[in-house]
Amino acid sequence: MKDIFKAICISVFMGICCMAVLSCSKEESSPDISGEWHLISTGELPMDGIDIYAVFGNGSFSLYQKTGDMLQYYQYTGHYSVSGDILSGTYTDGTPFGSTYRITMMENDSVLVLTAQNGSGESSRYGKTPVPGSVKNSVVVTRAGEAGCDGISPFL
């Protein structure tokens, strides 16, 4: 009887120890950036003529970009990954993003802030907004990551 009681006490003690260890470990989850986003500010950079929508989901992205006096959008596509709170990606042609980006989700995950980790300190804010059909329908060229002969490079 004493052996059974002793075994039960040891089992309970071990169970309590396991729960204590597990409750102390902090599992980091990556922020979920899936969805459609519209650029709302670029920190210190002027937004004159810049209009950008980004769509993230299932490891793939599309970037719709219009700059200056352009009437139509360029579309850039590729793949991305999130590790911890860091976003990285490559365009379809294998060109990497201009930087990796620290992800900050704000306002109940309705605002996405991407801060470049290349030392530039660039920070861009995106609001969760569907890409209008007029944007998708006005895509003039789908590109990979290279700048075109017109000098236009992808925003990320």
Side-chain angles (χ1 to χ4, degrees):
M1 184 78 158
K2 284 185 181 182
D3 290 335
I4 294 174
F5 181 75
K6 187 177 179 181
I8 291 172
C9 287
I10 289 173
S11 296
V12 168
F13 176 75
M14 295 299 287
I16 291 171
C17 288
C18 287
M19 288 189 324
V21 167
L22 291 175
S23 68
C24 289
S25 66
K26 183 179 178 183
E27 185 177 315
E28 281 193 38
S29 63
S30 298
D32 182 10
I33 63 169
S34 297
E36 300 183 3
W37 303 90
H38 186 224
L39 181 67
I40 53 179
S41 72
T42 57
E44 302 294 318
L45 299 174
M47 288 203 39
D48 299 335
I50 296 174
D51 193 26
I52 296 173
Y53 288 88
V55 180
F56 295 100
N58 299 320
S60 296
F61 73 89
S62 288
L63 185 66
Y64 298 91
Q65 176 176 313
K66 181 170 85 167
T67 58
D69 295 331
M70 292 173 45
L71 298 176
Q72 295 144 326
Y73 288 79
Y74 285 106
Q75 180 184 22
Y76 299 92
T77 58
H79 299 282
Y80 74 94
S81 64
V82 176
S83 178
D85 63 351
I86 300 297
L87 169 68
S88 59
T90 55
Y91 292 93
T92 307
D93 69 350
T95 302
F97 285 173
S99 176
T100 56
Y101 297 88
R102 181 166 311 284
I103 300 167
T104 306
M105 302 299 288
M106 301 173 67
E107 300 177 27
N108 295 321
D109 296 342
S110 65
V111 174
L112 166 66
V113 179
L114 297 178
T115 305
Q117 299 299 291
N118 61 5
S120 69
E122 294 173 7
S123 182
S124 301
R125 294 171 65 97
Y126 294 81
K128 198 160 210 171
T129 306
V131 179
S134 60
V135 170
K136 291 178 181 179
N137 294 335
S138 75
V139 170
V140 64
V141 176
T142 300
R143 292 185 165 171
E146 82 285 351
C149 59
D150 50 11
I152 296 173
S153 297
F155 192 71
L156 292 176

